[in-house]
Amino acid sequence: MSADQQVQSESGPYRTVEVPGAVLAVGPSVPAEADGLPPALFVHGLGGSADNWTDLMAELAGEVSGEAVDLPGFGWSAPPQDGNLSLSGHVRAVIGYLEKSGRGPVHLFGNSLGGAVSVRLAALRPDLVRSLTLISPALPELPPQVSAWPTAALALPGVPALLRRRAAAGGKSAEQATEELLRLVYGDVSGIPAERRERAVAEYRRRLGLPYALQASIGSARGIVSAYTERGDQALWRQAAHVRAPVLLVYGLKDKLVSYRSARRACAAFPDARLLVLPESGHVAMMEHPRQVARAVRELLAEA
């Protein structure tokens, strides 16, 4: 795929942008009516894509000029040219896009892995960030809650080969595998619209056909685990303390991947933080409860 092109996917139009070390898919294109609105950038979590932000971006269409980026190796973005799927590698790609697009400083949104990316970016490049909205950010939590262990296990030696053998032997159907993923990240799957389920299954099938898809998830999972153990100036909690932009923290009480117990530490770590707790939400509050999240974001934007 060549860089800086406009492309049409099943989930809508996006364009590819060449940045140092990677070619990123970014979408949707900013409509003309967004001129004059403050820019925003949305960064998805492990195994996700820009499509995860569709509902929240629609809620905020009149508030910000939003774009969502596919991290290297995810969504419609190719894997990084140097194979660097570490947290800092993803941060480098997002900084590269913001510098090339000239849209910064932006209102930055991050979920899970994208939350960790956004924290490090905001700490290292405060000139690029107006505000920070973190939805179940993957900040170090030791030990992780039991339901998060299978995701963390992706980083263990031998697991990639085991997963490949299971896939070759004929594992679960795309519908079954997608249902398990949805149950992992949603607090309540009964409210998922049929159209979103169909898109999720189609995307799962598409990813199965990509030779790098599994490695992208495994490499990024290892990047998160590595970030959890970093010390000194690279420690994520220490970097959180250096974030000067106002921060909105969003946690779900039914989150199976990031425990709500992290919320207290996060509120204390960021110098200027406010908290939204959603009792019925799981790991992807922007997909489950976009209206409630958008309401809190509007309050943050008014302050910022």
Side-chain angles (χ1 to χ4, degrees), residues 199-211:
R199 285 215 318 268
V201 172
E203 176 63 8
Y204 184 88
R205 287 200 180 102
R206 185 184 73 85
R207 296 286 296 176
L208 279 179
L210 299 176

Side-chain angles (χ1 to χ4, degrees), residues 165-249:
R165 286 197 298 272
R166 285 184 176 178
K172 303 167 185 171
S173 69
E175 288 78 9
Q176 290 173 323
T178 302
E179 182 67 19
E180 287 189 5
L181 290 172
L182 293 175
R183 289 185 179 279
L184 179 64
V185 298
Y186 274 74
D188 180 8
V189 296
S190 65
I192 302 176
E195 185 269 341
R196 180 172 288 283
R197 285 180 181 272
E198 292 168 2
R199 285 215 318 268
V201 172
E203 176 63 8
Y204 184 88
R205 287 200 180 102
R206 185 184 73 85
R207 296 286 296 176
L208 279 179
L210 299 176
Y212 58 80
L214 181 59
Q215 188 54 48
S217 293
I218 292 168
S220 296
R222 287 175 175 166
I224 294 175
V225 172
S226 177
Y228 273 31
T229 62
E230 288 177 327
R231 297 293 182 266
D233 291 341
Q234 287 298 300
L236 277 169
W237 285 115
R238 179 171 293 186
Q239 291 181 325
H242 292 158
V243 172
R244 292 295 173 260
V247 178
L248 169 64
L249 296 160

Side-chain angles (χ1 to χ4, degrees), residues 91-166:
V91 171
R92 178 187 66 179
V94 179
I95 288 176
Y97 172 67
L98 288 174
E99 289 183 333
K100 181 162 186 177
S101 67
R103 300 187 76 233
V106 297
H107 294 291
L108 188 60
F109 294 73
N111 169 234
S112 193
L113 165 63
V117 168
S118 298
V119 169
R120 180 160 290 178
L121 192 159
L124 296 177
R125 292 293 305 272
D127 58 305
L128 295 177
V129 180
R130 296 188 184 195
S131 73
L132 197 56
T133 297
L134 303 174
I135 300 173
S136 297
L139 295 170
E141 179 185 349
L142 298 173
Q145 56 184 333
V146 174
S147 53
W149 287 0
T151 302
L154 284 173
L156 296 177
V159 171
L162 174 62
L163 293 176
R164 291 189 185 97
R165 286 197 298 272
R166 285 184 176 178

Side-chain angles (χ1 to χ4, degrees), residues 139-142 237-238 240 249 251 260-270:
L139 295 170
E141 179 185 349
L142 298 173
W237 285 115
R238 179 171 293 186
L249 296 160
Y251 286 86
Y260 169 68
R261 68 173 182 246
S262 295
R264 177 179 294 181
R265 185 174 183 182
C267 286
F270 292 99

